[in-house]
Short mmCIF file of all heavy atoms in Angstrom, two decimals:
data_model
loop_
_atom_site.label_atom_id
_atom_site.label_comp_id
_atom_site.label_asym_id
_atom_site.label_seq_id
_atom_site.Cartn_x
_atom_site.Cartn_y
_atom_site.Cartn_z
N CYS B 95 -11.84 5.02 -5.46
CA CYS B 95 -10.86 5.67 -6.31
C CYS B 95 -9.78 4.67 -6.76
O CYS B 95 -9.14 4.02 -5.95
CB CYS B 95 -10.21 6.82 -5.53
SG CYS B 95 -8.84 7.56 -6.42
N PRO B 96 -9.60 4.56 -8.06
CA PRO B 96 -8.68 3.54 -8.56
C PRO B 96 -7.20 3.93 -8.43
O PRO B 96 -6.33 3.06 -8.59
CB PRO B 96 -9.06 3.42 -10.03
CG PRO B 96 -9.57 4.78 -10.40
CD PRO B 96 -10.26 5.29 -9.17
N THR B 97 -6.93 5.20 -8.18
CA THR B 97 -5.55 5.65 -8.30
C THR B 97 -4.85 5.92 -6.99
O THR B 97 -3.65 6.13 -6.96
CB THR B 97 -5.50 6.96 -9.11
OG1 THR B 97 -6.20 7.95 -8.35
CG2 THR B 97 -6.11 6.80 -10.47
N ALA B 99 -5.56 8.60 -5.51
CA ALA B 99 -5.58 10.06 -5.40
C ALA B 99 -6.46 10.49 -4.24
O ALA B 99 -6.16 11.43 -3.54
CB ALA B 99 -6.10 10.66 -6.71
N SER B 100 -7.57 9.79 -4.05
CA SER B 100 -8.46 10.13 -2.96
C SER B 100 -7.98 9.44 -1.70
O SER B 100 -7.66 8.26 -1.74
CB SER B 100 -9.87 9.66 -3.26
OG SER B 100 -10.52 10.59 -4.06
N VAL B 111 -7.91 14.98 -2.11
CA VAL B 111 -7.53 14.40 -3.40
C VAL B 111 -6.10 14.86 -3.69
O VAL B 111 -5.78 16.05 -3.54
CB VAL B 111 -8.45 14.90 -4.53
CG1 VAL B 111 -7.99 14.35 -5.88
CG2 VAL B 111 -9.89 14.52 -4.28
N CYS B 116 -4.54 11.93 -9.65
CA CYS B 116 -5.91 11.74 -10.15
C CYS B 116 -5.92 11.64 -11.66
O CYS B 116 -5.24 12.36 -12.37
CB CYS B 116 -6.77 12.93 -9.71
SG CYS B 116 -8.41 12.91 -10.42
N ILE B 117 -6.72 10.69 -12.17
CA ILE B 117 -6.84 10.54 -13.62
C ILE B 117 -8.13 11.14 -14.14
O ILE B 117 -8.44 11.05 -15.32
CB ILE B 117 -6.78 9.04 -14.04
CG1 ILE B 117 -7.85 8.23 -13.30
CG2 ILE B 117 -5.37 8.49 -13.76
CD1 ILE B 117 -7.98 6.81 -13.83
N GLY B 118 -8.91 11.70 -13.23
CA GLY B 118 -10.16 12.33 -13.68
C GLY B 118 -11.20 11.34 -14.15
O GLY B 118 -11.93 11.60 -15.09
N CYS B 119 -11.30 10.18 -13.45
CA CYS B 119 -12.31 9.19 -13.88
C CYS B 119 -13.68 9.52 -13.33
O CYS B 119 -14.68 8.97 -13.76
CB CYS B 119 -11.90 7.79 -13.42
SG CYS B 119 -11.98 7.58 -11.63
N LYS B 120 -13.75 10.42 -12.36
CA LYS B 120 -15.00 10.92 -11.77
C LYS B 120 -15.74 9.90 -10.93
O LYS B 120 -16.85 10.18 -10.48
CB LYS B 120 -15.94 11.45 -12.85
CG LYS B 120 -15.34 12.50 -13.74
CD LYS B 120 -16.38 12.99 -14.71
CE LYS B 120 -15.73 13.75 -15.86
NZ LYS B 120 -16.57 13.81 -17.02
N CYS B 122 -15.26 8.88 -8.01
CA CYS B 122 -15.48 9.33 -6.62
C CYS B 122 -16.71 10.23 -6.54
O CYS B 122 -17.45 10.18 -5.56
CB CYS B 122 -14.25 10.05 -6.11
SG CYS B 122 -13.69 11.35 -7.21
N ARG B 131 -18.16 16.43 -4.55
CA ARG B 131 -16.92 16.36 -5.34
C ARG B 131 -17.04 17.27 -6.53
O ARG B 131 -18.11 17.40 -7.12
CB ARG B 131 -16.70 14.92 -5.79
CG ARG B 131 -16.41 14.01 -4.60
CD ARG B 131 -15.09 13.38 -4.77
NE ARG B 131 -14.57 12.83 -3.52
CZ ARG B 131 -13.31 12.43 -3.39
NH1 ARG B 131 -12.48 12.53 -4.41
NH2 ARG B 131 -12.87 11.95 -2.25
N MET B 140 -10.15 15.77 -10.26
CA MET B 140 -11.21 15.99 -9.28
C MET B 140 -10.68 16.85 -8.14
O MET B 140 -9.51 16.75 -7.77
CB MET B 140 -11.66 14.62 -8.74
CG MET B 140 -12.93 14.63 -7.97
SD MET B 140 -14.34 15.27 -8.91
CE MET B 140 -14.68 13.93 -10.04
S1 LIG D 1005 -11.53 11.25 -10.33
FE1 LIG D 1005 -9.53 11.16 -9.43
S2 LIG D 1005 -9.91 11.19 -7.26
FE2 LIG D 1005 -11.82 10.67 -8.24
S3 LIG D 1005 -11.86 8.46 -8.30
FE3 LIG D 1005 -11.00 9.13 -10.20
S4 LIG D 1005 -8.83 9.17 -9.84
FE4 LIG D 1005 -9.80 9.06 -7.86
#
Side-chain angles (χ1 to χ4, degrees):
Chain B
C95 174
T97 63
S100 277
V111 177
C116 174
I117 56 171
C119 69
K120 304 183 197 159
C122 51
R131 293 239 163 193
M140 193 58 73

